[in-house]
Amino acid sequence: DAGVIQSPRHEVTEMGQEVTLRCKPISGHDYLFWYRQTMMRGLELLIYFNNNVPIDDSGMPEDRFSAKMPNASFSTLKIQPSEPRDSAVYFCASSSGDRAYEQYFGPGTRLTVT
Amino acid sequence: LAKTTQPISMDSYEGQEVNITCSHNNIATNDYITWYQQFPSQGPRFIIQGYKTKVTNEVASLFIPADRKSSTLSLPRVSLSDTAVYYCLVGDMNSGGYQKVTFGTGTKLQVIP
């Protein structure tokens, strides 16, 4: 397996624009996680899915953020409208069943909002 | 969620054994202890998990005393490539499914030649 795949790897956008981050989890994994990492706040869990269903979105900072998982092999994290304070590295991770804590992280998307 | 406390940073010379301790005084009965490693510009990577006593794999050992209020990650004979941030996580694995945990600030290990 190629591991967790994220795209794009880098995104630079202007304030107010819509940003969509994409993730393909490892095949067969039933958990999918979206994290955000900044120097100030560290690694924060934004939302996670189990069997394509959002389970806990309490980490989503505000209504500008939304995440979907239309099928077992694809998820998106959308920010609309984007703001400079959204600049961060966004990681997607997946894991499986009773080893849900053994998460496999993607390479991340570095988002810069100017 | 159990709160964890780790040293912010540590330095070690190549070839030495490194022990990173994590305090989790309010750990609950169902909580497990999990450690992750994060290299610069990469996502975290699972290292090891344990509940009590000692767990060892090809990368590290995890020591958990009887009261489980702390744990120690032991890295044998570190090399420069072990320079990374190490995170200690504590969470419930017996309640069915995944229970949310937090990564905290981690310990930044710098291995010196």
Side-chain angles (χ1 to χ4, degrees), chain A residues 9 31 33 35 37 41-43 45 48 55-56 58-59 91 95 97-108 110, chain B residues 31-32 34 36 38 41-46 49 87 89-94 96-105:
Chain A
R9 294 293 308 276
Y31 283 91
F33 307 83
Y35 290 87
Q37 187 168 37
R41 300 177 67 89
L43 193 62
L45 176 64
Y48 74 93
I55 302 301
D56 186 338
S58 59
F91 289 105
S95 63
D98 60 359
R99 293 190 65 85
Y101 282 92
E102 188 171 346
Q103 298 176 27
Y104 293 80
F105 281 73
R110 181 172 295 277
Chain B
D31 286 346
Y32 278 63
T34 308
Y36 277 79
Q38 185 176 23
S41 302
Q42 294 186 26
R45 183 175 74 118
F46 172 87
Q49 184 180 80
Y87 296 95
L89 291 74
V90 174
D92 182 350
M93 287 196 62
N94 288 352
Y98 177 78
Q99 303 295 321
K100 184 176 176 179
V101 294
T102 57
F103 270 78
T105 55

Coordinates of all heavy atoms in Angstrom, one line a residue, chain A residues 9 31 33 35 37 41-43 45 48 55-56 58-59 91 95 97-108 110, chain B residues 31-32 34 36 38 41-46 49 87 89-94 96-105:
Chain A
R9 N 0.3 19.0 -1.6 CA 1.3 19.1 -0.6 C 1.6 20.5 -0.1 O 1.9 20.7 1.1 CB 2.6 18.5 -1.1 CG 2.6 17.0 -1.5 CD 2.4 16.1 -0.2 NE 3.3 16.4 0.8 CZ 4.5 15.9 0.9 NH1 4.9 15.1 0.0 NH2 5.3 16.3 1.9
Y31 N -11.0 4.1 10.2 CA -10.9 5.4 10.9 C -10.1 6.4 10.0 O -9.1 6.0 9.5 CB -10.3 5.2 12.2 CG -11.1 4.6 13.3 CD1 -11.1 3.3 13.6 CD2 -11.9 5.4 14.1 CE1 -11.9 2.7 14.6 CE2 -12.7 4.9 15.1 CZ -12.7 3.5 15.3 OH -13.4 3.0 16.3
F33 N -8.8 10.5 10.3 CA -8.6 11.7 11.2 C -8.0 12.9 10.4 O -7.2 12.7 9.6 CB -7.6 11.3 12.3 CG -7.9 10.1 13.1 CD1 -7.5 8.8 12.6 CD2 -8.5 10.2 14.3 CE1 -7.8 7.7 13.3 CE2 -8.8 9.0 15.0 CZ -8.4 7.8 14.5
Y35 N -6.0 16.4 11.3 CA -5.3 17.2 12.3 C -4.7 18.5 11.7 O -4.5 18.6 10.5 CB -4.1 16.4 12.8 CG -4.3 15.2 13.7 CD1 -4.6 13.9 13.1 CD2 -4.4 15.3 15.1 CE1 -4.8 12.8 13.9 CE2 -4.6 14.2 15.9 CZ -4.8 12.9 15.3 OH -5.0 11.8 16.0
Q37 N -1.5 21.3 12.6 CA -0.3 21.5 13.4 C 0.2 22.9 13.2 O 0.5 23.3 12.0 CB 0.7 20.5 13.1 CG 1.9 20.6 14.1 CD 2.8 19.4 14.0 OE1 3.1 18.8 12.9 NE2 3.4 18.9 15.1
R41 N 0.0 26.0 18.7 CA -1.0 25.2 19.2 C -0.7 23.7 19.1 O -1.4 22.9 19.7 CB -2.4 25.4 18.5 CG -2.9 26.9 18.7 CD -4.1 27.1 17.9 NE -5.2 26.3 18.5 CZ -6.0 26.8 19.5 NH1 -5.8 28.0 19.9 NH2 -7.0 26.1 19.9
G42 N 0.4 23.4 18.5 CA 0.8 22.0 18.4 C -0.1 21.2 17.4 O -0.6 21.8 16.5
L43 N -0.2 19.9 17.7 CA -1.0 19.0 16.9 C -2.4 18.9 17.4 O -2.6 18.4 18.5 CB -0.3 17.7 16.8 CG -0.8 16.7 15.7 CD1 -0.5 17.3 14.3 CD2 0.0 15.4 15.9
L45 N -6.5 17.7 16.9 CA -7.4 16.8 16.2 C -8.6 17.7 15.8 O -9.3 18.3 16.7 CB -7.9 15.6 17.1 CG -8.9 14.7 16.5 CD1 -8.4 14.1 15.2 CD2 -9.4 13.7 17.5
Y48 N -12.8 13.3 13.4 CA -12.5 12.0 12.9 C -13.7 11.2 12.5 O -14.9 11.5 13.0 CB -11.7 11.2 13.9 CG -12.4 10.6 15.1 CD1 -12.9 9.3 15.1 CD2 -12.4 11.4 16.3 CE1 -13.5 8.8 16.3 CE2 -13.0 10.9 17.4 CZ -13.5 9.6 17.4 OH -14.1 9.1 18.6
I55 N -17.6 11.2 13.7 CA -17.9 10.8 15.1 C -17.7 12.0 16.0 O -18.5 12.2 16.9 CB -17.0 9.7 15.5 CG1 -17.2 8.5 14.6 CG2 -17.2 9.3 17.0 CD1 -18.6 7.9 14.5
D56 N -16.6 12.7 15.9 CA -16.3 13.8 16.8 C -15.7 15.0 16.0 O -14.6 14.9 15.4 CB -15.3 13.4 17.9 CG -15.1 14.4 18.9 OD1 -15.3 15.6 18.7 OD2 -14.7 14.0 20.0
S58 N -15.6 18.1 17.4 CA -15.5 19.2 18.4 C -14.2 20.0 18.2 O -14.1 21.1 18.8 CB -15.6 18.6 19.8 OG -14.5 17.7 20.0
G59 N -13.3 19.5 17.5 CA -12.0 20.2 17.3 C -12.1 21.2 16.1 O -11.1 21.9 15.9
F91 N -2.7 17.5 8.6 CA -2.4 16.1 8.4 C -3.7 15.3 8.3 O -4.7 15.5 9.1 CB -1.6 15.5 9.5 CG -0.2 16.0 9.5 CD1 0.2 17.0 10.4 CD2 0.8 15.5 8.7 CE1 1.5 17.4 10.5 CE2 2.1 15.9 8.7 CZ 2.5 16.9 9.6
S95 N -6.5 4.6 10.5 CA -6.2 3.5 11.3 C -7.3 2.5 11.2 O -8.4 2.7 10.6 CB -6.0 3.9 12.8 OG -7.2 4.4 13.3
G97 N -9.8 -0.7 13.0 CA -10.4 -1.5 13.9 C -9.9 -1.4 15.4 O -9.9 -0.3 15.9
D98 N -9.5 -2.5 16.0 CA -9.1 -2.5 17.4 C -7.7 -2.0 17.6 O -7.2 -1.9 18.7 CB -9.2 -3.9 18.0 CG -8.4 -4.9 17.3 OD1 -7.7 -4.6 16.3 OD2 -8.4 -6.1 17.7
R99 N -7.0 -1.6 16.5 CA -5.7 -0.9 16.7 C -5.9 0.6 16.2 O -5.0 1.1 15.5 CB -4.6 -1.6 15.9 CG -4.3 -3.0 16.5 CD -3.0 -3.5 15.8 NE -1.9 -2.7 16.1 CZ -1.1 -2.9 17.2 NH1 -1.5 -3.8 18.1 NH2 -0.1 -2.2 17.4
A100 N -7.0 1.1 16.6 CA -7.4 2.5 16.1 C -6.3 3.5 16.6 O -6.2 4.6 15.9 CB -8.8 2.9 16.6
Y101 N -5.6 3.2 17.7 CA -4.6 4.2 18.2 C -3.3 4.1 17.3 O -2.5 5.0 17.4 CB -4.3 3.9 19.6 CG -5.3 4.4 20.5 CD1 -6.4 3.6 21.0 CD2 -5.3 5.7 21.0 CE1 -7.3 4.1 21.8 CE2 -6.2 6.2 21.8 CZ -7.3 5.4 22.2 OH -8.2 5.9 23.0
E102 N -3.2 3.1 16.5 CA -2.0 3.0 15.7 C -2.3 3.8 14.4 O -2.7 3.1 13.3 CB -1.6 1.6 15.4 CG -0.2 1.5 14.7 CD 0.3 0.0 14.6 OE1 -0.3 -0.8 15.4 OE2 1.2 -0.2 13.8
Q103 N -2.2 5.1 14.4 CA -2.6 5.9 13.2 C -1.4 6.0 12.3 O -0.3 6.2 12.7 CB -3.1 7.2 13.7 CG -4.3 7.2 14.6 CD -4.7 8.5 15.2 OE1 -4.4 9.5 14.6 NE2 -5.3 8.5 16.3
Y104 N -1.8 6.0 11.0 CA -0.8 6.2 9.9 C -1.1 7.6 9.3 O -2.2 7.8 8.8 CB -0.9 5.1 8.9 CG -0.5 3.7 9.4 CD1 -1.4 3.0 10.2 CD2 0.8 3.2 9.1 CE1 -1.0 1.7 10.6 CE2 1.1 2.0 9.6 CZ 0.3 1.2 10.4 OH 0.6 0.0 10.8
F105 N -0.1 8.4 9.4 CA -0.2 9.8 9.0 C 0.2 10.0 7.5 O 1.2 9.3 7.1 CB 0.6 10.7 9.9 CG -0.1 11.1 11.2 CD1 -0.2 10.1 12.2 CD2 -0.7 12.3 11.4 CE1 -0.8 10.4 13.4 CE2 -1.3 12.6 12.6 CZ -1.3 11.6 13.6
G106 N -0.4 10.9 6.8 CA 0.0 11.3 5.5 C 1.1 12.3 5.7 O 1.5 12.7 6.7
P107 N 1.7 12.7 4.5 CA 2.8 13.7 4.5 C 2.4 15.1 4.9 O 3.2 16.0 5.2 CB 3.3 13.6 3.1 CG 2.1 13.2 2.3 CD 1.3 12.3 3.2
G108 N 1.1 15.4 4.9 CA 0.6 16.7 5.3 C 0.5 17.6 4.1 O 1.1 17.5 3.0
R110 N 0.8 21.7 3.5 CA 1.2 23.0 4.2 C 0.4 24.1 3.5 O 0.5 24.4 2.3 CB 2.7 23.3 4.0 CG 3.2 24.6 4.6 CD 4.7 24.7 4.6 NE 5.4 23.7 5.4 CZ 5.6 23.8 6.7 NH1 5.2 24.8 7.3 NH2 6.2 22.8 7.3
Chain B
D31 N -7.3 3.2 30.4 CA -6.4 4.0 29.6 C -5.1 3.2 29.2 O -4.5 2.5 30.1 CB -5.9 5.3 30.3 CG -7.0 6.3 30.3 OD1 -8.0 6.2 29.5 OD2 -6.9 7.3 31.0
Y32 N -4.7 3.3 28.0 CA -3.5 2.8 27.5 C -2.5 3.9 27.2 O -2.9 5.1 27.1 CB -3.7 2.0 26.2 CG -4.1 0.6 26.4 CD1 -5.4 0.3 27.0 CD2 -3.3 -0.5 26.0 CE1 -5.8 -1.0 27.1 CE2 -3.8 -1.8 26.2 CZ -5.0 -2.1 26.7 OH -5.4 -3.3 26.9
T34 N 0.4 5.4 24.7 CA 0.9 5.2 23.4 C 1.9 6.3 23.1 O 1.8 7.5 23.5 CB -0.3 5.4 22.4 OG1 -1.3 4.5 22.7 CG2 0.2 5.1 21.0
Y36 N 4.3 8.3 20.1 CA 4.5 8.6 18.7 C 5.8 9.4 18.5 O 6.3 10.0 19.4 CB 3.4 9.4 18.1 CG 2.2 8.7 17.7 CD1 1.2 8.2 18.6 CD2 1.9 8.4 16.3 CE1 0.1 7.5 18.2 CE2 0.8 7.7 15.9 CZ -0.1 7.3 16.9 OH -1.2 6.6 16.5
Q38 N 7.8 12.1 15.7 CA 7.6 12.9 14.6 C 8.9 13.6 14.1 O 9.5 14.3 14.9 CB 6.6 14.0 14.9 CG 6.2 14.9 13.6 CD 5.2 15.9 13.8 OE1 4.9 16.3 15.0 NE2 4.5 16.3 12.8
S41 N 9.0 18.0 9.3 CA 8.3 18.0 8.0 C 7.6 16.7 7.6 O 7.4 16.4 6.5 CB 9.3 18.4 6.8 OG 9.8 19.6 7.1
Q42 N 7.4 15.9 8.7 CA 6.6 14.6 8.4 C 5.5 14.5 9.5 O 5.5 15.2 10.5 CB 7.5 13.4 8.6 CG 8.6 13.3 7.5 CD 9.4 12.0 7.7 OE1 8.9 11.0 8.2 NE2 10.6 12.0 7.2
G43 N 4.5 13.6 9.2 CA 3.5 13.3 10.1 C 4.0 12.4 11.2 O 5.0 11.7 11.0
P44 N 3.4 12.4 12.4 CA 3.8 11.5 13.5 C 3.7 10.0 13.0 O 3.0 9.6 12.1 CB 2.8 11.8 14.6 CG 2.3 13.1 14.3 CD 2.3 13.2 12.8
R45 N 4.5 9.2 13.7 CA 4.6 7.8 13.4 C 4.5 7.0 14.7 O 5.1 7.3 15.7 CB 5.9 7.4 12.7 CG 6.1 6.0 12.3 CD 7.4 5.8 11.6 NE 8.6 5.9 12.5 CZ 9.4 4.9 12.7 NH1 9.2 3.7 12.1 NH2 10.4 5.0 13.5
F46 N 3.6 6.0 14.7 CA 3.4 5.2 15.9 C 4.7 4.5 16.3 O 5.3 3.9 15.4 CB 2.2 4.2 15.7 CG 2.0 3.2 16.7 CD1 1.2 3.4 17.8 CD2 2.7 1.9 16.6 CE1 1.0 2.4 18.8 CE2 2.5 0.9 17.6 CZ 1.7 1.2 18.7
Q49 N 2.9 0.9 22.2 CA 1.8 1.1 23.1 C 1.9 0.0 24.2 O 2.3 -1.1 24.0 CB 0.5 0.9 22.3 CG -0.8 1.2 23.2 CD -2.0 1.0 22.3 OE1 -2.4 -0.1 22.1 NE2 -2.6 2.1 21.9
Y87 N 6.0 12.0 21.4 CA 4.7 12.4 22.0 C 4.2 11.2 22.9 O 4.2 10.0 22.4 CB 3.6 12.7 21.0 CG 3.9 13.9 20.2 CD1 4.4 13.8 18.9 CD2 3.5 15.2 20.6 CE1 4.6 14.9 18.1 CE2 3.7 16.3 19.8 CZ 4.3 16.2 18.6 OH 4.5 17.3 17.8
L89 N 0.8 9.7 24.7 CA -0.6 9.9 24.6 C -1.2 8.9 25.6 O -0.8 7.7 25.7 CB -1.2 9.6 23.3 CG -0.9 10.6 22.1 CD1 0.5 10.5 21.6 CD2 -1.9 10.3 21.0
V90 N -2.3 9.3 26.3 CA -3.0 8.4 27.2 C -4.4 8.4 26.8 O -5.1 9.4 26.7 CB -2.8 8.8 28.7 CG1 -3.6 8.0 29.6 CG2 -1.3 8.8 29.0
G91 N -5.0 7.2 26.6 CA -6.4 7.1 26.2 C -7.0 5.8 26.5 O -6.4 4.7 26.7
D92 N -8.4 5.8 26.5 CA -9.2 4.6 26.8 C -9.3 3.7 25.6 O -9.8 4.2 24.5 CB -10.6 5.1 27.3 CG -11.5 4.0 27.7 OD1 -11.2 2.8 27.4 OD2 -12.6 4.3 28.2
M93 N -9.0 2.5 25.7 CA -9.1 1.5 24.6 C -10.2 0.5 24.8 O -10.4 -0.4 24.0 CB -7.8 0.9 24.3 CG -6.8 1.8 23.6 SD -5.4 0.9 22.9 CE -6.3 -0.1 21.7
N94 N -10.8 0.5 26.0 CA -11.7 -0.6 26.3 C -13.1 -0.3 26.3 O -14.0 -1.1 26.5 CB -11.4 -1.1 27.8 CG -10.1 -1.9 27.8 OD1 -9.5 -2.2 26.8 ND2 -9.6 -2.2 29.0
G96 N -14.7 0.6 23.6 CA -15.3 0.3 22.3 C -14.9 1.4 21.3 O -15.3 2.5 21.5
G97 N -14.2 1.0 20.3 CA -13.9 2.0 19.3 C -12.8 3.0 19.8 O -12.2 2.8 20.8
Y98 N -12.6 4.0 19.0 CA -11.5 5.0 19.3 C -12.1 6.0 20.3 O -13.2 6.5 20.2 CB -11.1 5.7 18.0 CG -10.1 6.8 18.2 CD1 -8.8 6.4 18.4 CD2 -10.5 8.1 18.2 CE1 -7.8 7.4 18.6 CE2 -9.5 9.1 18.4 CZ -8.2 8.8 18.6 OH -7.3 9.7 18.7
Q99 N -11.2 6.3 21.3 CA -11.6 7.4 22.2 C -10.5 8.5 22.0 O -9.3 8.3 21.9 CB -11.5 6.9 23.6 CG -12.4 5.8 23.9 CD -13.9 6.1 23.8 OE1 -14.3 7.2 24.2 NE2 -14.6 5.2 23.2
K100 N -11.0 9.7 21.9 CA -10.2 10.9 21.6 C -9.1 11.1 22.6 O -9.3 11.0 23.8 CB -11.0 12.1 21.5 CG -10.3 13.4 21.1 CD -11.3 14.5 21.0 CE -10.6 15.9 20.7 NZ -11.6 17.0 20.5
V101 N -7.9 11.3 22.0 CA -6.7 11.6 22.9 C -6.1 12.9 22.3 O -6.3 13.3 21.2 CB -5.7 10.5 22.9 CG1 -6.2 9.3 23.6 CG2 -5.2 10.2 21.5
T102 N -5.2 13.5 23.1 CA -4.5 14.7 22.6 C -3.0 14.4 22.6 O -2.5 13.7 23.4 CB -4.7 15.9 23.5 OG1 -4.4 15.6 24.9 CG2 -6.2 16.3 23.5
F103 N -2.3 15.1 21.6 CA -0.9 14.8 21.4 C 0.0 15.6 22.4 O 1.1 15.3 22.6 CB -0.5 15.2 20.0 CG -0.6 14.0 19.1 CD1 -1.8 13.5 18.6 CD2 0.5 13.3 18.7 CE1 -1.9 12.4 17.8 CE2 0.5 12.2 17.9 CZ -0.8 11.7 17.4
G104 N -0.5 16.7 22.9 CA 0.4 17.5 23.8 C 1.5 18.1 23.1 O 1.6 18.2 21.9
T105 N 2.5 18.6 23.9 CA 3.6 19.4 23.3 C 4.8 18.5 22.9 O 5.6 18.8 22.1 CB 4.1 20.4 24.2 OG1 4.5 19.8 25.5 CG2 3.1 21.5 24.5

